[in-house]
Amino acid sequence: TMGREMALSVKPLDAPLGAEIVGLDVTNITEEASRTLHQALLDHHLVVIRDQPTSDADLVELGKAFGPIVKARMVSPLTGRDDIMVISNIREDGKPVGQLPDGEMAFHIDQIYKPNPCKAAALHAVEIPQAGGDTMFSNNVRAFEQLPDAMKQKLQGLMATHSFQYGETSRDARVAAQERPHYTHPLVRRIPENGKRALAVCRLMTDRIEGLPDDESKAIIEELC
């Protein structure tokens, strides 16, 4: 109605990306709230919602504000749901009950080794250490914008092959790409909703740039990372 004050506000963070969403009730995400969230993600690449106890069902509904939900690779006894991936170092009978129990993951783009990589991820921090272990995010639009003009020109039209590969950052790229799920995408992708260009490259999964000699491919990937 006219004159009604918006309950939701979007406050940009003092960082290269991110905005805090204030006034959102995650147990009742209206169509209006969904539109605000989606636009905030496009504008700021990362949205933060603080201090809301969130059930598994609420988390999935929050994810649906951005698109269809991808199934988890492994169902964890900590949730029992097949649409939530649990990251945990907890063990039961000596076996991890979640994924990535002991190691860091290098920067990556979720499921870039598939024809349709994940558009977004909703991460709910349940139990975290008092110091360290921070999850980090990068602004790949800004990363592209700040490249030298010569590099921007060089990247135009180049395609890169990415393979499913966790835990290793050095390997024979061609063997890895042949043996594991893999897909080739433009090295610079356009975000469909606004046309902005973003780097689509990461040390963890980008095997090679197609059409270039191995040494040149590796050198460009290293420089971009």
Side-chain angles (χ1 to χ4, degrees):
T1 56
M2 289 295 289
R4 184 174 68 83
E5 195 172 13
M6 273 278 291
L8 273 186
S9 63
V10 179
K11 298 184 176 181
L13 302 177
D14 182 20
L17 76 169
E20 182 176 358
I21 306 295
V22 179
L24 177 69
D25 178 3
V26 296
T27 65
N28 180 31
I29 299 175
T30 63
E31 285 188 26
E32 182 182 30
S34 181
R35 284 194 298 269
T36 299
L37 284 168
H38 196 184
Q39 190 60 50
L41 185 70
L42 289 173
D43 292 342
H44 303 285
H45 312 293
L46 172 74
V47 295
V48 179
I49 305 161
R50 300 187 195 275
D51 303 325
Q52 291 213 27
T54 303
S55 70
D56 291 350
D58 291 337
L59 183 63
V60 172
E61 287 305 309
L62 177 64
K64 288 178 181 177
F66 303 100
I69 303 297
V70 175
K71 298 295 185 186
R73 292 199 309 273
M74 179 184 101
V75 176
S76 168
L78 294 182
T79 176
R81 296 186 63 123
D82 66 357
D83 48 10
I84 290 180
M85 174 178 170
V86 174
I87 299 169
S88 175
N89 62 4
I90 295 171
R91 283 171 165 78
E92 292 177 358
D93 298 325
K95 295 180 180 178
V97 295
Q99 296 185 305
L100 310 175
D102 298 316
E104 296 287 341
M105 277 196 81
F107 272 110
H108 62 282
I109 299 168
D110 285 342
Q111 299 193 356
I112 195 173
Y113 54 86
K114 290 187 174 183
N116 295 300
C118 292
K119 178 176 186 172
L123 177 64
H124 178 209
V126 178
E127 186 177 2
I128 57 176
Q130 288 184 331
D134 292 339
T135 300
M136 300 176 72
F137 297 89
S138 66
N139 181 341
N140 285 21
V141 171
R142 185 161 169 178
F144 176 78
E145 290 171 350
Q146 293 186 340
L147 288 175
D149 288 342
M151 178 61 85
K152 288 181 182 176
Q153 290 298 320
K154 182 184 286 189
L155 299 183
Q156 291 308 308
L158 290 181
M159 306 289 287
T161 297
H162 315 269
S163 71
F164 174 76
Q165 182 93 27
Y166 287 100
E168 293 179 41
T169 53
S170 62
R171 69 262 182 212
D172 186 316
R174 284 166 298 188
V175 171
Q178 289 167 359
E179 292 180 350
R180 300 171 186 273
H182 62 278
Y183 205 81
T184 302
H185 293 286
L187 197 55
V188 180
R189 68 173 292 252
R190 283 192 179 274
I191 299 174
E193 293 93 339
N194 56 26
K196 290 182 179 179
R197 292 181 292 179
L199 282 178
V201 61
C202 56
R203 274 201 187 94
L204 191 69
M205 298 182 191
T206 304
D207 280 317
R208 62 171 291 105
I209 300 171
E210 299 301 327
L212 297 181
D214 279 353
D215 56 350
E216 186 178 358
S217 167
K218 289 177 182 175
I220 292 176
I221 290 171
E222 186 62 29
E223 183 175 349
L224 293 176
C225 288

